[in-house]
Amino acid sequence: MYEKDGIVYADNPEPMLLVKDVKHMYSGVYLVKFSNEQVRLFDSTVLTGPVFEPLRDPEIYKNPVIQYGIVTWDNGQIDCSPDYMYENSFEYNTKDIVCAK
């Protein structure tokens, strides 16, 4: 239990999910490390609508920036919630990668 603003809650609050690192891989696909230490692949083509149209420009989608734990593009004009990125991404496990010798 915990108390916040005079209200007692039964569970511990979930820590806010943030992005710690983001690297462009190819064609709008990013390797994203989250604050829960998971590394996942996020395909930005799921971002639709007029606000995301600038992401069609390779110079914009290749240059993500993290601001306050949130991935942004185009000088902060476009952003995406870390929760949305996490929920719409795929596990990326480097332990499963086999390298040729």
Side-chain angles (χ1 to χ4, degrees), residues 38-98:
Q38 288 193 28
V39 177
R40 300 175 67 87
L41 287 173
F42 175 74
D43 183 352
S44 68
T45 60
V46 300
L47 303 174
T48 59
V51 71
F52 297 109
E53 284 299 314
L55 288 178
R56 291 184 177 199
D57 180 345
E59 291 305 311
I60 293 175
Y61 76 67
K62 287 182 181 179
N63 296 300
V65 175
I66 299 172
Q67 294 181 340
Y68 307 105
I70 299 170
V71 177
T72 68
W73 297 267
D74 200 18
N75 295 318
Q77 297 300 307
I78 303 168
D79 63 40
C80 186
S81 156
D83 290 322
Y84 184 85
M85 292 183 89
Y86 186 84
E87 291 167 7
N88 291 280
S89 62
F90 304 93
E91 186 175 344
Y92 181 79
N93 189 348
T94 56
K95 294 175 188 166
D96 293 338
I97 297 175
V98 178

Side-chain angles (χ1 to χ4, degrees), residues 1-4 6-14:
M1 279 201 236
Y2 74 99
E3 181 181 339
K4 181 178 178 185
I7 300 172
V8 177
Y9 296 89
D11 295 288
N12 290 328
E14 295 265 336

